[in-house]
Amino acid sequence: VADPGVAREVAHVALAEQVAGDPLRVFAEDLVIDILEQFELDRVARAVDRLDAVAGRLRTRAPVSFRVNPDVDPKTHPYIATGLKESKFGVAFADAPALYQRAARLPNVAVHGLDIHIGSQIVELDPFREATIKVLDLVDRLRASGIKLAHVDLGGGLGIRYRDEDPVPLPDFARMVRELFRGRNEQL
């Protein structure tokens, strides 16, 4: 985990601190705090504060990206829908600006990006479009408040044909992403 360039998704900083029994060897080039449950904002903030403390002991800045729940219906099976508010995956959309503001104020945390994943086996383009528009609006609001994100991760979830599904053609998905990201500087 301590090798540069290795990305890890960590459910809690506490978990990260336990990896290999040495909290000072936990850093990766792109450490991602992937909040697997929709915790109260103060609990997530405390985890980011602990990450800041560990990074401070290492005399480095920890690059972070938060998984945000856009509360968008992916129109897929409820067991594989992760972008709805009730899915409890990611930071609640309404709480995200405050979390980003808090993290940006920490001296040993470098806020780098925003991540979403609205579900799996999604066979319609509209949920992807809705989620992307919503998070890009959040990215713009964060930029206006002084937080410039380097990347936006739209997750995955494109459906495939198992039986009679009619999945989104990849060129259509690519065209939608290209249109929505035209003129933007964030890396996908």
Side-chain angles (χ1 to χ4, degrees), residues 41-174:
L41 183 58
D42 62 328
R43 185 168 179 186
V44 176
R46 285 193 309 269
V48 175
D49 289 344
R50 290 199 338 245
L51 175 63
D52 178 62
V54 172
R57 289 193 303 265
L58 286 172
R59 293 184 210 126
T60 190
R61 293 191 77 210
V64 296
S65 178
F66 296 107
R67 180 172 177 174
V68 175
N69 183 324
D71 192 20
V72 169
D73 184 357
K75 299 177 182 159
T76 189
H77 191 282
Y79 290 168
I80 54 177
T82 59
L84 288 165
K85 185 180 196 178
E86 56 269 16
S87 303
K88 299 185 180 177
F89 284 92
V91 175
F93 196 80
D95 293 339
L99 179 62
Y100 275 94
Q101 291 291 339
R102 181 182 183 120
R105 287 191 300 267
L106 295 172
N108 304 305
V109 170
V111 178
H112 279 209
L114 185 148
D115 307 279
I116 64 169
H117 188 282
I118 62 170
S120 299
Q121 193 54 17
I122 302 167
V123 295
E124 296 181 33
L125 195 56
D126 287 342
F128 289 113
R129 180 182 309 282
E130 181 183 352
T132 303
I133 289 169
K134 198 168 181 180
V135 299
L136 290 178
D137 177 64
L138 175 57
V139 169
D140 291 342
R141 287 185 287 133
L142 291 171
R143 183 185 311 113
S145 73
I147 300 171
K148 185 178 175 194
L149 300 182
H151 80 265
V152 174
D153 183 342
L154 298 178
L158 281 169
I160 61 170
R161 185 180 316 276
Y162 282 105
R163 292 188 183 96
D164 60 351
E165 295 88 354
D166 188 19
V168 174
L170 290 178
D172 292 354
F173 180 78

Side-chain angles (χ1 to χ4, degrees), residues 16-56:
E17 290 178 344
Q18 294 172 13
V19 175
D22 184 355
L24 298 179
R25 298 188 52 149
V26 174
F27 284 88
E29 186 67 27
D30 288 311
L31 180 63
V32 175
I33 296 178
D34 183 2
I35 308 302
L36 294 177
E37 293 183 26
Q38 199 166 333
F39 297 112
E40 309 83 36
L41 183 58
D42 62 328
R43 185 168 179 186
V44 176
R46 285 193 309 269
V48 175
D49 289 344
R50 290 199 338 245
L51 175 63
D52 178 62
V54 172

